[in-house]
Amino acid sequence: MTESYDVIVVGLGGMGSAAAYRLAERGQRVLGLEKFPPGHNRGSSHGGSRITRQAYFEDPAYVPLLLRAYELWEQIEHDSGRTIATLTGGVMVGRPDSLTVSGSLRSALEWGLDHEMLDAAELRRRFPTLSPADDEVAFYEAKAGFVRPESSVLAHLYLAGRAGADLHFQEPVHSWTANPSGSGVRVTTAEGVYTAERLVICPGAWAPSLLDDLGIDFTIERQVMYWFAPQGGVAPFRPERHPIYIWELGGGEQFYGFPAIDGPGGGAKVAMFRGGVPCTADTIDRRVHPEEVEYISARLRPRIPSLPGPLLKAATCMYTNTADEHFVIAPHPLHQQVTVACGFSGHGFKFVPVVGEIVADLAVDGSTRHPISLFDPARLRTDRALAS
């Protein structure tokens, strides 16, 4: 027997859970399908923390979406009873002409965001754990901080279920088809066949297989997150004393990190931003190797002298990168009844609640008030796609 819905959402990680909630909230009969258990650690929506910030060095065009995301995080926390976002302040560190610093300043000036510029001496005075070189500066944003990805996913799933969504876990999607008429879809899983008027696909690192006909060459990149015990204890790294940070080195290499947000035994989390090993979602190496620990340790030692201490744990995750590292959020160019949200390129989680809102708009109304022209898949489609 084929079950029918208004909208099927494939993938219930960060983006898919938010989309399922916003669709169900609007009175849609929603089916959510997820390959793994709720709040799993097999994709990109785990690891305990993700940086959030408003002065966006990647492109000022993201700022209005971030301002809306900040509003929605508060609403989700209130409605779910979960703590998701914590503002600790944040520093973007590097030479004045680095993208991390200059791009953040550009966004702040364009959108009138509160900020401070700190020279190396002031950065050391304000945050004694940090040891910049004399020619480095910091862009400081008080409204930066972190969000907890697992709490976000579980909060959105709870709210989606409360609003009437039918959520199926450990039920991978085998295939989907869209009717040529422009209305109606069919989704096949190991458990059955489902139909709906519309389909939303939030596939994370499974984009290359689930969205092969999108005609975009996604690159899946393995990344590692590390938790070190600071030498001398976590007290100087507590959230009320220590900011989140992104630090740009020579050649554009970046690492980032967090306060010690999980108490004395939790350590301080750090990671490299980009530069990971290409992989696929099904073949990623989940082991963390000694040379990887030493690589990031060598970058930490001269800049955060009390890190690295002993390595407490490490975990892998994945970036799903587009060629220009901007997102893809749009109706499928070949199937207008299908909405896609993918290619978040390692910097998407802070946008989760507003992406859910955008996806619901596109799926139900066919348009959104939010600025999303930057995310049009047409900019990335290959000759192979245009010829198909």
Side-chain angles (χ1 to χ4, degrees), residues 318-329:
M318 291 175 282
Y319 292 178
T320 305
N321 296 323
T322 64
D324 60 7
E325 297 174 355
H326 295 306
F327 310 157
V328 174
I329 309 174

Side-chain angles (χ1 to χ4, degrees), residues 25-374:
E25 180 191 42
R26 294 177 64 160
Q28 300 291 299
R29 291 177 297 118
V30 175
L31 169 65
L33 296 170
E34 168 56 50
K35 183 175 184 176
F36 299 106
H40 64 86
N41 65 355
R42 310 308 289 173
S44 303
S45 298
H46 64 281
S49 57
R50 292 288 186 274
I51 285 176
T52 189
R53 49 195 166 91
Q54 294 182 354
Y56 219 58
F57 61 76
E58 289 85 345
D59 195 308
Y62 285 89
V63 173
L65 299 177
L66 288 161
L67 297 178
R68 178 59 176 159
Y70 270 57
E71 295 173 351
L72 293 174
W73 286 125
E74 290 187 12
Q75 181 246 313
I76 293 297
E77 288 184 323
H78 177 270
D79 292 351
S80 69
R82 286 181 172 269
T83 298
I84 301 172
T86 301
L87 302 186
T88 60
V91 289
M92 308 296 114
V93 185
R95 290 186 172 85
D97 61 350
S98 65
L99 175 63
T100 305
V101 174
S102 65
S104 298
L105 181 60
R106 175 190 171 201
S107 280
L109 294 175
E110 184 168 325
W111 290 98
L113 304 175
D114 290 340
H115 66 281
E116 298 176 64
M117 294 301 302
L118 311 179
D119 63 18
E122 178 61 14
L123 180 59
R124 295 185 204 109
R125 188 194 68 78
R126 186 91 62 97
F127 303 111
T129 52
L130 307 181
S131 183
D134 288 342
D135 63 347
E136 291 181 312
V137 300
F139 173 96
Y140 175 75
E141 179 181 8
K143 290 187 176 180
F146 65 90
V147 295
R148 292 188 176 271
E150 292 91 343
S151 290
S152 168
V153 171
L154 294 174
H156 281 104
L157 292 175
Y158 163 72
L159 293 171
R162 192 175 73 175
D166 187 6
L167 306 176
H168 294 195
F169 298 97
Q170 301 186 85
E171 186 172 345
V173 169
H174 290 173
S175 65
W176 63 270
T177 56
N179 295 339
S181 65
S183 178
V185 298
R186 181 183 180 94
V187 177
T188 302
T189 75
E191 304 298 323
V193 177
Y194 308 95
T195 62
E197 288 300 307
R198 294 171 299 280
L199 176 63
V200 167
I201 304 179
C202 301
W206 286 264
S209 56
L210 281 174
L211 290 172
D212 178 63
D213 68 343
L214 194 59
I216 294 175
D217 291 328
F218 297 103
T219 301
I220 311 304
E221 181 182 342
R222 173 184 173 276
Q223 290 289 342
V224 182
M225 303 171 283
Y226 308 85
W227 286 259
F228 291 103
Q231 299 173 23
V234 298
F237 287 82
R238 291 178 61 84
E240 62 271 21
R241 299 177 63 183
H242 195 275
I244 62 91
Y245 55 90
I246 301 176
W247 205 310
E248 183 169 334
L249 312 179
E253 187 179 52
Q254 296 165 301
F255 69 89
Y256 66 93
F258 299 82
I261 66 175
D262 295 317
K269 177 185 166 184
V270 298
M272 299 302 300
F273 189 41
R274 308 201 185 285
V277 177
C279 67
T280 73
D282 297 316
T283 63
I284 179 175
D285 181 3
R286 301 277 180 187
R287 297 168 298 171
V288 177
H289 304 278
E291 60 270 22
E292 295 176 308
V293 179
E294 177 52 34
Y295 187 89
I296 193 165
S297 297
R299 280 138 187 83
L300 292 170
R301 288 187 191 104
R303 299 169 179 93
I304 309 178
S306 53
L307 289 179
L311 179 67
L312 300 176
K313 65 177 180 177
T316 58
C317 71
M318 291 175 282
Y319 292 178
T320 305
N321 296 323
T322 64
D324 60 7
E325 297 174 355
H326 295 306
F327 310 157
V328 174
I329 309 174
H332 194 296
L334 302 180
H335 315 291
Q336 289 301 296
Q337 70 269 50
V338 179
T339 301
V340 299
C342 55
F344 289 95
S345 301
H347 63 112
F349 204 92
K350 61 185 72 64
F351 297 90
V352 156
V354 71
V355 169
E357 195 170 65
I358 291 167
V359 168
D361 288 345
L362 294 176
V364 176
D365 303 325
S367 63
T368 181
R369 64 183 174 85
H370 294 293
I372 61 169
S373 59
L374 188 63

